[in-house]
């Protein structure tokens, strides 16, 4: 059974940093692209970042480019999101999401339960 | 403002058929697949339709998808109370080199 479990969320002051982690299990982690998708309270979904199976291709939404860094560790079957210079508009539930295959442009097939990040204004 | 445009709400009575539209452009739906996700309030989104019209195993055949030009559509026939949820379309965007979502459609079963 595919499982994606996020951790590392919390309350953080504007301008500070936070690192999200996602522990993956139930599948061969190295075979799949991984993504972060966020959802502000009461609002819609926004793709934040994605990384291909071998970290060869990485993409970011314009809203986080230059501030967020995605990475993956195959030895730990884990995905990370380093978030710097946080802003109130980054407040959201952050989902760890698996891509269907190794590349970024295939659909998302499994979602974690999310980690809440709150940046007060 | 979302890159893909969906109606904010839709409704129907049990047994009816409802359709939700998703309008994009040549750089996303026009040249890539449309996908749909269902989100029941308080839960994570779930894959509903992929590659325009394919259903993952376990998704009832009451749900169907289609694509025409730069638009995608989700149809739900034989509407049931448990279909009440938010529905999001998504597609890869070649110009942005990233994924784009619609703003979501809240489906109410009357």
């Amino acid at each position: 059974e595919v499982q994606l479990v996020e951790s590392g969320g919390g309350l953080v002051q504007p301008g500070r940093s936070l690192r999200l982690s996602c522990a993956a299990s139930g599948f061969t982690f190295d075979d799949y692209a991984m993504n972060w998708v966020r959802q502000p309270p009461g609002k819609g979904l926004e793709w934040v970042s994605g990384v291909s199976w071998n970290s060869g291709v990485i993409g970011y939404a314009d809203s986080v480019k230059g501030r967020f860094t995605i990475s993956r560790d195959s030895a730990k079957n884990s995905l990370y999101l380093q978030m710097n210079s946080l802003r109130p508009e980054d407040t959201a539930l952050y989902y760890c999401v698996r891509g269907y295959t190794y590349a970024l442009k295939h659909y998302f097939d499994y979602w974690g339960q999310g980690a809440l990040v709150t940046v007060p204004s | 403002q979302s890159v893909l445009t969906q109606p904010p709400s839709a409704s129907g009575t049990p047994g009816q058929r409802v359709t939700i539209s998703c309008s994009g452009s040549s750089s996303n739906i026009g040249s890539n697949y449309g996908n749909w996700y269902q989100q029941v309030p308080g839960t994570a989104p779930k894959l509903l339709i992929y590659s325009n019209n394919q259903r993952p195993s376990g998704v009832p055949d009451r749900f169907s998808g289609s694509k025409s030009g730069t638009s995608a559509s989700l149809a739900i026939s034989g509407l049931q109370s448990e279909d009440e949820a938010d529905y999001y379309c998504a597609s890869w965007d070649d110009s942005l080199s990233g994924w784009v979502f619609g703003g979501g459609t809240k489906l109410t079963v009357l």
Side-chain angles (χ1 to χ4, degrees), chain B residues 11-89:
Chain B
S11 63
T13 56
Q16 267 191 330
R17 172 186 166 95
V18 297
T19 301
I20 298 172
S21 62
C22 174
S23 177
S25 67
S26 58
S27 63
N28 41 68
I29 294 177
S31 52
N32 293 288
Y33 290 120
N35 307 289
W36 292 89
Y37 300 89
Q38 177 193 57
Q39 185 177 34
V40 174
T43 69
K46 165 192 157 185
L47 179 63
L48 194 64
I49 296 287
Y50 66 93
S51 300
N52 299 331
N53 55 16
Q54 302 299 302
R55 274 176 288 110
S57 62
V59 173
D61 59 6
R62 302 186 294 103
F63 294 91
S64 62
S66 63
K67 170 184 151 176
S68 177
T70 58
S71 293
S73 292
L74 172 70
I76 310 171
S77 59
L79 201 60
Q80 299 181 4
S81 58
E82 59 258 39
D83 298 334
E84 196 160 275
D86 294 320
Y87 292 84
Y88 294 91
C89 61

Side-chain angles (χ1 to χ4, degrees), chain A residues 34-88:
Chain A
M34 297 296 297
N35 300 267
W36 290 99
V37 174
R38 68 184 180 184
Q39 185 171 35
K43 297 190 177 181
L45 302 171
E46 179 190 19
W47 177 77
V48 173
S49 181
V51 56
S52 64
W53 67 285
N54 63 353
S55 301
V57 179
I58 287 177
Y60 297 97
D62 287 343
S63 58
V64 307
K65 205 170 289 184
R67 299 188 299 123
F68 290 12
T69 302
I70 192 171
S71 62
R72 61 189 298 161
D73 185 336
S74 59
K76 296 183 178 180
N77 284 352
S78 292
L79 177 72
Y80 304 101
L81 186 67
Q82 178 66 42
M83 303 184 290
N84 298 332
S85 304
L86 281 161
R87 305 167 180 168

Side-chain angles (χ1 to χ4, degrees), chain A residues 17-31:
Chain A
S17 299
L18 201 64
R19 188 198 199 204
L20 299 181
S21 300
C22 169
S25 61
F27 64 100
T28 303
F29 186 67
D30 288 351
D31 287 349

